[in-house]
């Protein structure tokens, strides 16, 4: 394992910012894509504040970024991560994905 991350840690999952969707609500909404450990594609929509990098309406899409998530469980080289920032609404269910542990990095404050 090339990382010191453990269960309960916040981390960043590499992803691709695909499209700027809306300016409101601030700070803007974008469409993200990434693949899980089984090579299944996933798409998420969220505020730019939940993703890495400096994303703007005029950024060259698609562009690399990252998704903030929390490690729920680690089994061998696979981490089960959840998107804590998508909680809320009538059914506060987190989105959970299995990803390669070595693709995750600690959350950094820019």
């Amino acid at each position: 394992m090339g990382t010191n991350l453990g269960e309960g840690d916040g981390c960043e999952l590499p992803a691709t910012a695909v499209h700027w969707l809306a300016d409101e609500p601030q700070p803007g909404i974008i469409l993200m894509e990434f693949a899980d450990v089984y090579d299944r594609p996933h798409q998420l929509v969220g505020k730019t504040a939940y993703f890495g990098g400096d994303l703007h309406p005029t950024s060259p899409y698609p562009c690399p970024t990252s998704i903030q998530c929390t490690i729920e469980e680690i089994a061998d080289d696979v981490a089960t991560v959840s998107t804590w920032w998508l909680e809320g609404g009538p059914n506060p269910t987190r989105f959970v994905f299995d990803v390669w542990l070595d693709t995750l990095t600690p959350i950094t404050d820019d």
Side-chain angles (χ1 to χ4, degrees):
M1 273 183 233
T3 179
N4 292 328
L5 292 167
E7 292 179 8
D9 287 347
C11 59
E12 294 187 9
L13 171 66
T16 301
V18 178
H19 187 71
W20 184 273
L21 298 175
D23 294 333
E24 297 292 334
Q26 289 293 325
I29 304 294
I30 57 172
L31 171 65
M32 309 293 299
E33 290 183 345
F34 70 96
D36 65 16
V37 73
Y38 310 105
D39 287 328
R40 291 182 299 206
H42 296 276
Q43 293 184 325
L44 296 175
V45 172
K47 294 181 182 180
T48 58
Y50 299 132
F51 305 112
D54 197 16
L55 301 169
H56 301 282
T58 56
S59 296
Y61 294 97
C63 62
T65 187
S66 61
I67 300 168
Q68 293 182 6
C69 50
T70 301
I71 298 174
E72 299 294 332
E73 185 178 319
I74 296 173
D76 298 319
D77 294 335
V78 176
T80 301
V81 297
S82 68
T83 53
W84 54 268
W85 50 270
L86 287 174
E87 287 185 86
N91 300 307
T93 303
R94 297 175 181 208
F95 288 93
V96 178
F97 311 98
D98 289 337
V99 297
W100 295 113
L101 180 60
D102 64 2
T103 64
L104 302 174
T105 56
I107 291 177
T108 57
D109 294 324
D110 292 7

